[in-house]
């Protein structure tokens, strides 16, 4: 089950969209030669002085690759107005209109997220007014350009024969009209026959690109996009585990989906940090948002200052930004090399924790012990990798917080069905061990060929790993070895980590299933069982013994 790419990369898509619209507008404006204040003429002082050297030559070569220009936001409606009033009215491609609409929708979602506290919150008013100003300019630009998004023959008053006055255009008509302008300037030539001796010279044509001038609101919008993407993926993973709970997908499918989601969390966070490095630790984002959007006059410290509305859910700012999860990681997991949860002391102190909170503290203790032994590389489990990086770099990245949050989500979604993952794994373990034992016995009792002599060590290794990781409680063994007699204080139940972390359980099962199937394929090919079955089936079919097939 692949994660839909439309669930993430919101900020990247937004930047690509604004650059696309800005470049199209600026290119048309330059063709019209009406905005000398926006597009200064090229420096010609270096012409006529012979071959340039040093920095001047490097600058000339860099300029030859095309330059990037920044356009102020206020200039966008001016350019759009000039295009609409030009003597030769420009046809606006449908893709430009759709992209502009998507950009507006993304900005509006950000504005609505931080607009929840109402008009009494002065800090939110000031921040949202800037977003609304940005949205207003884009809407004005869309209002000007949208009437120009027509069939090429309809510009300058020409009317198509198939579009009569009063006839409404369907959605399909609009889409086809937009597609009609996509290839308007495309020139197609038959490719000439070429050899290595007559290759064409490299093109020297350059294209300038244009982008909007950065604003203060870009940062808060980038943060919103990051959390929106992380939350949407988080919701998708929850849905996948729900499908497993309802017996619609296999547990290995849900586990691989969750593991992949954590990898995507990391990539999104790293892309965000490539532009905003000062927000490496999750708490820096929380502080920025609290200072910028939360009204300091509120007496309650837990006052929500934002609400995110997804496709089928609505959550408060504390859930959206995972405040509590961050605090649990920072105040417990990051304190000390391998912290262990003191259950009896916590309860004796009168601290009331939910079952999920206690399970998280206990599992964080076990996670810390494992990563101290394996440097985070534990059977490709990305949650172990996330916690290892947090420890190693002393930084709680946002993707680490959301990875831990997925762990908690999984337990909550599965509820009473949490033990089913372990039960199904044990059934699968018994089948795999029995299969391997039969293969080993067959190799000892038959002399078909030499494969079993060569493959026996591999079969024995797979069987041993299955027993050590799925039949025996490897985690409790590790705790006993590390703590010695004190390990009795931390006996939270047999297979405690595997029972509470079904993703690891399923990843191990998937790994061993793959290895067993690989051995089976090798055996089938070596013994000729598969090819023999094919020939027998073909012979039966040719002789008429399989009439129904």
């Amino acid at each position: 089950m692949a994660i839909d790419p439309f669930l993430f990369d919101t900020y990247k898509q937004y930047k690509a969209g604004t650059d696309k619209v800005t470049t199209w507008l600026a290119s048309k404006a330059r063709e019209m030669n009406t905005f000398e204040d926006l597009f200064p003429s090229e420096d010609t002082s270096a012409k006529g002085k012979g071959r340039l050297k040093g920095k001047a030559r490097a600058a000339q070569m860099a300029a030859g690759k095309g330059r990037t220009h920044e356009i102020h936001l206020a200039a966008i409606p001016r350019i759009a107005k000039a295009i609409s009033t030009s003597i030769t009215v420009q046809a606006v491609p449908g893709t430009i209109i759709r992209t502009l609409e998507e950009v507006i929708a993304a900005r509006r979602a950000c504005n609505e997220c931080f607009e929840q506290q109402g008009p009494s919150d002065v800090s939110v008013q000031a921040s949202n007014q800037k977003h609304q100003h940005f949205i207003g300019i884009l809407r004005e630009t869309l209002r000007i350009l949208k009437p120009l998004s027509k069939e090429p023959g309809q510009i300058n008053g020409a009317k198509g024969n198939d579009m009569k006055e009063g006839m409404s255009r369907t959605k399909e008509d609009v889409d086809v009209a937009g597609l009609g302008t996509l290839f308007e300037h495309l020139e197609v030539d038959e490719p000439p026959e070429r050899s290595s001796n007559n290759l064409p010279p490299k093109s020297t044509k350059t294209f300038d690109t244009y982008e909007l001038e950065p604003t203060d609101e870009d940062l808060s919008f980038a943060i919103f996009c990051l959390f929106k993407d992380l939350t949407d993926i988080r919701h998708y993973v929850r849905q996948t585990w729900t499908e497993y709970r309802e017996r619609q997908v296999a547990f290995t499918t849900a586990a691989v989906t969750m593991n992949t989601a954590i990898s995507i969390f990391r990539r999104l966070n790293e892309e965000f940090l490539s532009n905003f490095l000062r927000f490496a630790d999750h708490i820096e984002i929380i502080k920025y948002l609290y200072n910028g959007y939360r009204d300091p006059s509120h007496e309650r410290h837990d006052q929500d200052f934002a609400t995110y509305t997804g496709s089928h859910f609505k959550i408060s700012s504390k859930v959206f930004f995972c405040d509590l999860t961050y605090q649990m990681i920072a105040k417990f997991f990051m304190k000390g090399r391998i912290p262990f949860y003191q259950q009896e002391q916590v309860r004796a102190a009168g601290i009331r924790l939910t079952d999920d909170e206690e399970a998280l503290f206990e599992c964080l203790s076990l996670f810390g012990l494992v990563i101290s032994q394996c440097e985070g590389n534990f059977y490709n489990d990305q949650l172990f990798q996330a916690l290892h990086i947090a420890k190693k770099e002393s930084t709680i990245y946002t993707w680490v917080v959301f990875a831990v949050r997925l762990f908690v989500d999984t337990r909550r979604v599965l509820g009473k069905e949490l033990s089913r993952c372990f039960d199904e794994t044990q059934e699968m373990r018994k089948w795999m061990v029995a299969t391997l034992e039969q293969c080993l016995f067959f190799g000892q009792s038959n002399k078909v060929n030499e494969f079993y002599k060569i493959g026996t060590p591999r079969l024995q290794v797979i069987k041993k790993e299955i027993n050590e990781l799925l039949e025996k409680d490897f985690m409790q063994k590790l705790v006993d070895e590390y703590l010695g007699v004190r390990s009795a204080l931390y006996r939270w139940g047999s297979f405690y980590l595997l029972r509470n972390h079904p993703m690891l359980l399923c990843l191990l099962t998937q790994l061993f299933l793959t290895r067993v199937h690989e051995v089976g394929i090798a055996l089938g090919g070596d013994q000729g069982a598969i090819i023999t079955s094919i020939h027998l089936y073909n012979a039966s079919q040719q002789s008429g013994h399989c009439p129904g097939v």
Side-chain angles (χ1 to χ4, degrees), residues 254-515:
V256 172
T257 301
M258 177 175 168
N259 208 39
T260 303
I262 297 175
S263 298
I264 297 174
F265 285 169
R266 181 176 183 178
R267 179 175 66 80
L268 291 173
N269 196 188
E270 289 175 348
E271 289 177 354
F272 172 80
L273 293 179
S274 66
N275 296 313
F276 309 102
L277 187 57
R278 67 187 177 100
F279 294 103
D281 198 288
H282 186 73
I283 194 61
E284 297 302 324
I285 297 179
I286 301 299
K287 289 178 180 177
Y288 174 82
L289 294 172
Y290 266 74
N291 293 335
Y293 287 93
R294 185 174 179 274
D295 189 349
S297 63
H298 284 304
E299 295 182 1
R300 291 179 56 189
H301 295 290
D302 61 345
Q303 179 71 31
D304 285 326
F305 61 90
T307 300
Y308 174 65
T309 303
S311 55
H312 303 290
F313 61 95
K314 186 175 183 179
I315 56 177
S316 66
S317 62
K318 285 194 170 294
V319 179
F320 190 41
F321 302 120
C322 297
D323 293 20
L324 180 59
T325 305
Y326 173 84
Q327 294 297 331
M328 295 176 74
I329 298 172
K331 294 181 179 180
F332 174 73
F333 183 75
M334 300 299 287
K335 301 296 185 182
R337 180 170 172 268
I338 306 177
F340 269 84
Y341 175 63
Q342 309 289 332
Q343 186 182 69
E344 296 302 325
Q345 293 182 15
V346 170
R347 292 180 178 179
I351 301 175
R352 302 297 180 185
L353 297 176
T354 65
D355 292 341
D356 287 330
E357 290 170 343
E358 279 205 334
L360 177 57
F361 281 129
E362 291 162 351
C363 287
L364 284 175
S365 304
L366 302 178
F367 285 138
L369 180 57
V370 173
I371 64 177
S372 70
Q373 307 293 320
C374 65
E375 297 296 320
N377 298 316
F378 194 71
Y379 294 94
N380 196 37
D381 188 317
Q382 295 301 303
L383 180 54
F384 281 92
Q385 184 70 13
L387 293 170
H388 167 68
I389 291 175
K391 276 281 192 182
K392 181 180 178 181
E393 301 182 10
S394 300
T395 304
I396 307 176
Y397 295 100
T398 297
W399 74 275
V400 175
V401 176
F402 272 79
V404 175
R405 190 65 232 176
L406 278 184
F407 168 84
V408 179
D409 288 344
T410 302
R411 294 187 76 261
R412 289 184 175 178
V413 169
L414 293 179
K416 295 180 180 180
E417 295 293 317
L418 187 62
S419 61
R420 198 175 95 210
C421 293
F422 184 80
D423 296 338
E424 291 181 5
T425 296
Q426 291 304 312
E427 291 298 320
M428 196 70 68
R429 175 191 63 79
K430 293 175 183 178
W431 173 83
M432 288 188 290
V433 170
T435 300
L436 293 171
E437 288 176 345
Q438 290 174 4
C439 288
L440 289 168
F441 176 76
F442 183 82
Q444 295 169 359
S445 59
N446 294 270
K447 298 181 180 179
V448 179
N449 57 21
E450 298 295 315
F451 176 82
Y452 284 98
K453 292 182 180 179
I454 301 173
T456 294
R458 185 183 180 193
L459 295 173
Q460 292 173 336
V461 167
I462 296 174
K463 180 184 174 184
K464 180 181 178 182
E465 289 186 358
I466 291 175
N467 288 333
E468 288 181 348
L469 292 171
L470 296 180
E471 184 179 14
K472 301 176 182 177
D473 190 350
F474 76 92
M475 193 67 249
Q476 190 60 51
K477 178 183 177 182
L478 187 61
V479 172
D480 293 341
E481 292 175 352
Y482 181 75
L483 295 176
V485 295
R486 292 187 298 131
S487 64
L489 299 173
Y490 306 102
R491 293 186 180 275
W492 298 310
S494 63
F495 295 96
Y496 188 80
L497 182 63
L498 292 182
R499 289 181 182 276
N500 286 277
H501 185 31
M503 185 178 81
L504 173 60
L505 190 65
C506 299
L507 289 176
L508 291 173
T509 304
Q510 182 75 11
L511 171 66
F512 293 130
L513 278 174
T514 301
R515 291 182 180 177

Side-chain angles (χ1 to χ4, degrees), residues 24 86 137 169 218 249 302 401 409 513 544:
W24 185 86
S86 173
I137 289 180
R169 299 180 66 187
D218 286 345
V249 299
D302 61 345
V401 176
D409 288 344
L513 278 174

